[in-house]
Amino acid sequence: MSIGRRNFFKVIGVTGASLAFGKTLNAAPKKENDIEFSAILYDSTRCAGCQTCEVTCAEAHGLPAPVDVPKAGVVRKTDEYHRTVVNAIATENGEVYVKRQCMHCNEPACASACLTQALYKTHEGPVIWRERKCMGCRYCMISCPFDSPKCEYDSPNPKIQKCDMCYDRQKEGKLPVCVENCPAEALVFGTRRDLIREAHKRIVENPGQYIDHIYGEHEAGGTGYLYLSGVSFEKLGFNPSIQLKSYPELSKGFLYAVPSVFVLWPAILLGIREATKNNKSNEEGNE
Amino acid sequence: MRKEMSKTDYIISNDNDSSRSTWKFLLSELKPRGKFLTPFNIISIPVMLLAAIILVYRFWKGLGPVTNLTQEVPWGIWKGFNVITGVAFAGGAYVLTFLVYILNLKKYHSIVRITVLNGFLAYVFYAGALILELGRPWKIFNPVIGNSFGTGSVLFLVAWHFLLYIIAQMIEFSPAIAEWLGAKRARKILSGMTVGAVIFGITLSTLHQSGLGAIFLMAKDKIHPLWYNEFIPIQFFVSSIFAGLSLVIFEGSICKNVFSDQISEKSKKAHNGILIGLSKICTVAMFAYFFLQLLVFVHGKHWDLLNTPMGYWFILEMFGFVLLPMLMFFYSYRRNNIFMIKVASVITMIGVIMNRLNISIIGFNWNGALRYVPTWMEVVVSVAVILAQIWIFRWVISRMPVLRESPSWVNENE
């Protein structure tokens, strides 16, 4: 393909103009956040502990249906066969329920730990696991502050199981199965920004019903699962010492030091070697 | 300097002269030498065979039936002991190459080769242990080739550094292989690459020894607060210095007995001087380490935790297995007490094992309901990995000029 001089200037001019005016024409503040993270808001005061989410999740992902039911005093945990579980907890407000699954952090520790990008934060928000990349080192399990990734130890070809916010369904424009089937409307799907707004609205409009805290708004640098509750989150079984900074932040200092060491060390070592060469020539006399 | 040719030198040079094929030579070298039914062999062979059976089972049925790993404790002793701890003991290689090739301290030259060999084998076998431990080991090349670079991962850095450092150590050791094969030209080229490999190797070691600690930085809520702090990488780096040197001291005294026929009288005499020098380095490194631990502890404000079982364990580690051997090293180099140096090196090694296990296993998920205790099968495999390493180590030493002096055709001015 050849392009004439005149045409070339025309293209340049149009491109330049569109670059210059681009910002003003698209007035909406769209720079890097072209896509908002999708998220799920879980309202534990609405949850009835019916386990529909558990059953439909197991069905959708080819996992065995749950056999046990939520019971106060028993902590059920997600594992390689259960991507989500609902726990019952006895509190001063009576029995409350809490659904647990992967939190889909904004800056996930698992994805930053993964050396093959098998655990991956998608642009749409869900944190997913990609089978063809994973080598099974389980560093994601070491790093995740919520203990979300689970390993199929009993398989010679183990997978990592965790909630993927039904990423495949989202791409088809469908809701995550748990959200779609929740009869109590305890689960709402939307963009993270909208859901935080909605959560604040609920807190403001029902002052007695909720504690003034959206779990996941700031925890671990912000998560894609947001929780509303009438009792403290510690009572619901959440780690009280969770930090507000993201977890990958913890190893950033080390990783930033690496390039400096890599550049400076060889130079310093070579310098010391040259400086101490006298030792050698004293003994050997040549070279 | 070398007037006598050792017996093997004679065989090798004879080999070349009579132009017997290299393959025949290699085959003959593969055959076991010396007495076969030694106590070491009698114990190690059944253990390694048993481990082989366990490993077949492990790859057939998965990690679950063989190990006690849980969803909360995903790393057991194959990682916590063989990799995280084992690599610390390979640290002697970078410290000694630093002394000999960077500081030009010729005094330590006689033990450089055996230390590099030990380091090289440690990395090969402990990276090998990693393969046994991976859930999907056939994907192990994903971080090396293809489009799966998790560049933000500390483990990615450690994996690459392992790989590159194995190559660097291979180059550092290769002149010994060339001498064994009688390849004079190759030896000249390879020994010319030594300094480059050393500088590259020390840089890599600095980063991945500390990187092994940095792996645990994200597990902030899971590791006992007395062991977790943001200085783990620096602590791991410093402890790898005295861990590696303690192993050099310990191993040196064993080799002196086991391979007594290989070591020249001159080296034997020089050995005590080397031990004194190493114990000085250990003293300083351990002092720095202890002081760092103290500072971190004071700033961490965990005084209340001291009066708990984990607190007693922490105090025991710090005083019994860092401060005590440090004082012993100090005392013994002042008094020329070689025996005490050896005792101190053993205590130091136990201390390093304790520290690494405390971070990776004992203090990990320390308040969880289920504590991880390895199965007997995990222990057998763990031990077998070390035994297999010793087998190869012994095989190399009794064939290549590692402890004994290089063949006479080697030019003195390397």
Side-chain angles (χ1 to χ4, degrees), chain B residues 262-283:
Chain B
Q262 303 242 358
I263 309 173
S264 70
E265 279 308 313
K266 195 180 130 239
S267 301
K268 271 181 195 164
K269 269 182 203 148
H271 197 243
N272 283 356
I274 290 175
L275 291 189
I276 299 278
L278 294 182
S279 71
K280 278 184 197 168
I281 301 171
C282 281
T283 312

Side-chain angles (χ1 to χ4, degrees), chain B residues 100-165:
Chain B
V100 173
Y101 295 103
I102 304 299
L103 295 183
N104 285 311
L105 297 170
K106 284 277 150 191
K107 177 179 163 188
Y108 300 100
H109 195 267
S110 63
I111 57 165
V112 133
R113 251 186 201 176
I114 187 166
T115 313
V116 169
L117 172 66
N118 189 34
F120 170 68
L121 291 178
Y123 275 92
V124 170
F125 276 84
Y126 303 152
L130 206 67
I131 294 171
L132 311 176
E133 204 271 353
L134 287 180
R136 309 156 64 83
W138 50 92
K139 300 272 184 183
I140 193 167
F141 289 111
N142 269 1
V144 182
I145 51 162
N147 54 353
S148 308
F149 285 179
T151 43
S153 167
V154 178
L155 199 59
F156 177 78
L157 173 124
V158 171
W160 265 94
H161 282 200
F162 271 21
L163 186 73
L164 294 175
Y165 189 51

Side-chain angles (χ1 to χ4, degrees), chain A:
Chain A
M1 193 188 90
S2 68
I3 184 163
R5 195 170 62 104
R6 211 164 279 253
N7 264 340
F8 174 75
F9 282 122
K10 250 187 224 165
V11 170
I12 289 286
V14 171
T15 318
S18 63
L19 280 175
F21 293 113
K23 265 180 199 155
T24 44
L25 290 178
N26 300 330
K30 274 189 181 173
K31 262 171 103 184
E32 60 256 41
N33 296 341
D34 273 338
I35 311 170
E36 296 244 351
F37 281 166
S38 53
I40 293 176
L41 172 64
Y42 168 75
D43 188 334
S44 104
T45 65
R46 293 188 184 183
C47 179
C50 68
Q51 283 182 293
T52 309
C53 52
E54 284 188 35
V55 173
T56 51
C57 175
E59 240 169 55
H61 300 107
L63 297 167
V67 286
D68 52 342
V69 292
K71 216 172 94 187
V74 180
V75 180
R76 299 166 73 225
K77 283 180 174 170
T78 58
D79 58 28
E80 66 267 47
Y81 306 113
H82 306 92
R83 290 186 175 190
T84 182
V85 293
V86 177
N87 274 318
I89 287 145
T91 66
E92 68 270 17
N93 298 5
E95 196 160 271
V96 297
Y97 298 96
V98 60
K99 177 182 183 295
R100 298 303 294 268
Q101 71 298 306
C102 168
M103 297 292 288
H104 298 278
C105 306
N106 289 348
E107 289 178 60
C110 59
S112 128
C114 185
L115 72 168
T116 58
Q117 292 191 328
L119 277 153
Y120 181 65
K121 178 75 175 172
T122 57
H123 299 297
E124 296 87 348
V127 179
I128 60 167
W129 175 75
R130 300 185 288 186
E131 179 165 11
R132 68 197 162 84
K133 303 219 174 211
C134 176
M135 61 190 234
C137 71
R138 309 189 296 287
Y139 184 30
C140 48
M141 301 169 71
I142 294 276
S143 307
C144 173
F146 302 103
D147 274 336
S148 293
K150 305 289 177 182
C151 175
E152 294 177 341
Y153 287 119
D154 288 332
S155 161
N157 181 12
K159 293 188 180 78
I160 295 291
Q161 289 284 0
K162 70 172 215 51
C163 165
D164 61 357
M165 220 194 258
C166 291
Y167 182 61
D168 292 336
R169 285 175 59 95
Q170 282 192 38
K171 278 199 295 194
E172 294 165 17
K174 295 189 213 158
L175 289 173
V177 275
C178 53
V179 177
E180 189 174 79
N181 293 292
C182 181
E185 290 184 358
L187 292 163
V188 188
F189 179 82
T191 67
R192 192 166 179 271
R193 200 186 296 267
D194 290 346
L195 291 179
I196 288 176
R197 209 172 289 142
E198 164 70 15
H200 278 299
K201 203 176 112 202
R202 286 190 201 176
I203 293 175
V204 173
E205 287 173 359
N206 310 280
Q209 194 179 345
Y210 300 105
I211 58 162
D212 188 9
H213 182 181
I214 306 167
Y215 193 92
E217 187 180 7
H218 302 296
E219 278 78 7
T223 63
Y225 242 92
L226 301 159
Y227 280 70
L228 279 175
S229 162
V231 297
S232 81
F233 288 101
E234 199 175 339
K235 283 198 184 116
L236 293 184
F238 284 91
N239 173 9
S241 60
I242 195 95
Q243 65 169 24
L244 298 185
K245 271 194 310 180
S246 82
Y247 278 74
E249 203 74 38
L250 290 166
S251 50
K252 228 170 218 172
F254 173 77
L255 287 169
Y256 280 176
V258 170
S260 333
V261 173
F262 222 101
V263 173
L264 295 179
W265 243 228
I268 294 170
L269 292 172
L270 205 62
I272 299 175
R273 181 181 148 83
E274 292 306 313
T276 55
K277 232 175 185 170
N278 280 345
N279 287 348
K280 201 178 179 184
S281 50
N282 283 348
E283 278 182 39
E284 295 189 1
N286 48 16
E287 253 194 353

Side-chain angles (χ1 to χ4, degrees), chain B residues 210-362:
Chain B
S210 49
L212 272 182
I215 283 176
F216 293 98
L217 285 176
M218 279 199 283
K220 187 186 175 196
D221 306 326
K222 304 184 186 176
I223 295 171
H224 193 282
L226 284 173
W227 282 276
Y228 180 89
N229 58 70
E230 59 261 57
F231 298 101
I232 293 183
I234 298 173
Q235 288 168 353
F236 267 49
F237 172 65
V238 179
S239 63
S240 77
I241 295 174
F242 56 81
L245 291 184
S246 293
L247 186 79
V248 170
I249 294 168
F250 177 70
E251 173 193 78
S253 54
I254 289 179
C255 288
K256 213 173 149 187
N257 297 327
V258 177
F259 302 106
S260 172
D261 52 325
Q262 303 242 358
I263 309 173
S264 70
E265 279 308 313
K266 195 180 130 239
S267 301
K268 271 181 195 164
K269 269 182 203 148
H271 197 243
N272 283 356
I274 290 175
L275 291 189
I276 299 278
L278 294 182
S279 71
K280 278 184 197 168
I281 301 171
C282 281
T283 312
V284 176
M286 289 173 90
F287 178 75
Y289 177 76
F290 186 78
F291 197 70
L292 182 63
Q293 287 278 11
L294 193 72
L295 278 181
V296 168
F297 172 74
V298 171
H299 283 270
K301 300 192 179 84
H302 293 305
W303 295 96
D304 51 319
L305 287 172
L306 281 186
N307 197 14
T308 61
M310 288 301 267
Y312 307 145
W313 185 235
F314 180 74
I315 292 169
L316 179 71
E317 182 196 315
M318 286 305 140
F319 287 89
F321 292 90
V322 180
L323 192 66
L324 175 75
M326 182 199 99
L327 293 172
M328 286 170 76
F329 275 129
F330 180 70
Y331 176 85
S332 47
Y333 83 68
R334 304 278 293 208
R335 299 291 169 93
N336 266 340
N337 189 333
I338 300 298
F339 177 71
M340 198 184 262
I341 291 179
K342 289 173 188 169
V343 176
S345 76
V346 173
I347 301 177
T348 307
M349 284 163 63
I350 296 170
V352 172
I353 294 173
M354 273 168 79
N355 179 256
R356 299 289 164 115
L357 291 184
N358 282 341
I359 289 170
S360 61
I361 291 174
I362 299 169

